Amino acid sequence: MRRMSEEPRTSRIQRQVVQLILDRRLTAGAALPTEAELMEALGVSRNSVREALKALQALDIVEIRHGYGTYVGRASLTPFVDGLTFRTLARHDDDTAALAEILQVREVLEVGLVRRVAATVTEAELDKLEDVVARMESAAGTGRADTAGPGRSFSDLDREFHEVLYAPLGNDLVPQLLAAFWTVFRRVSGARGRPDDPSPETTARRHRDIVTALRARDAEAAQRAMAVHFRGIEARATQQPRGTR
């Protein structure tokens, strides 16, 4: 019973610490008040403060540097990625559907966003996309991952393409969300032994189609090309894992 009564108190203290950060307009990397100062400000015990800070550290809201103090965290999407990865892997009975769901969310985001890109992308930004596609085509043509660059894989180029694609939107949350879903998908498909994405040649061609549509300022064609790209990934990802046939 004592443990149950502690949980609401810890949650309340977490909210108070978060509110303190917001009220004082502290940014990532800024030092928080000391434990003693938080105890006095919040009217709680040292143990209560420490429990709350540990919980906030797990959410990347604060960073505890032992021997130095506590600082405002980056508030990254890492806890979200870890939680969604576990949620997906925990669906032992139907991980194929779980992978498909992740791809569907990514597809909805990207198919919708690429229309906005078509309306704003500059020639210089299109040239950057062309460069990434050219490197993808080069890597696909030789079948060697090292053509993507030192220490890089074809998958890295694929990810770079999508990062460069949405940079013109100037929305910091977009690349973070897309990277989160990308990471979860890779973790889960790797853990489950799912087939890789379509062949590098096919993937490079589909990315080329997206750039071609954007060059023509054809938003609908860009959306269709993006949808085709995702249909190919989903078709492969929902096949039976290797070694189960």
Side-chain angles (χ1 to χ4, degrees), residues 92-106:
H92 307 291
D93 58 331
D94 198 0
D95 58 359
T96 295
L99 277 173
E101 288 174 357
I102 292 171
L103 280 172
Q104 286 166 9
V105 174
R106 271 192 62 196

Side-chain angles (χ1 to χ4, degrees), residues 81-92 94-102 180-195 237 241-242:
V81 170
D82 292 341
L84 186 54
T85 299
F86 174 78
R87 176 186 181 278
T88 307
L89 288 173
R91 291 180 58 175
H92 307 291
D94 198 0
D95 58 359
T96 295
L99 277 173
E101 288 174 357
I102 292 171
F181 283 111
W182 179 287
T183 300
V184 172
F185 180 80
R186 292 294 173 185
R187 285 184 184 178
V188 174
S189 59
R192 292 298 191 227
R194 291 284 168 185
R242 288 185 290 267

Side-chain angles (χ1 to χ4, degrees), residues 38-168:
L38 287 173
M39 289 166 56
E40 181 177 354
L42 304 180
V44 296
S45 69
R46 185 179 300 274
N47 282 342
S48 295
V49 168
R50 288 181 174 177
E51 286 298 317
L53 291 178
K54 286 179 182 178
L56 291 174
Q57 180 174 235
L59 297 173
D60 203 18
I61 292 176
V62 305
E63 178 186 358
I64 300 173
R65 304 176 190 173
H66 296 289
Y68 294 93
T70 305
Y71 299 79
V72 179
R74 296 176 297 115
S76 69
L77 295 182
T78 299
F80 169 76
V81 170
D82 292 341
L84 186 54
T85 299
F86 174 78
R87 176 186 181 278
T88 307
L89 288 173
R91 291 180 58 175
H92 307 291
D93 58 331
D94 198 0
D95 58 359
T96 295
L99 277 173
E101 288 174 357
I102 292 171
L103 280 172
Q104 286 166 9
V105 174
R106 271 192 62 196
E107 181 181 351
V108 168
L109 284 172
E110 297 211 37
V111 170
L113 290 170
V114 77
R115 174 175 284 275
R116 290 177 177 264
V117 172
T120 60
V121 67
T122 66
E123 290 300 317
E125 290 162 341
L126 285 168
D127 289 343
K128 291 180 182 179
L129 287 170
E130 289 274 7
D131 175 69
V132 179
V133 172
R135 282 183 281 142
M136 293 177 75
E137 291 169 339
S138 176
T142 61
R144 294 175 54 192
D146 58 4
T147 59
R152 307 197 71 205
S153 66
F154 186 87
S155 179
D156 292 329
L157 286 177
D158 192 350
R159 184 167 182 164
E160 181 183 350
F161 177 90
H162 291 263
E163 291 173 350
V164 173
L165 176 61
Y166 299 110

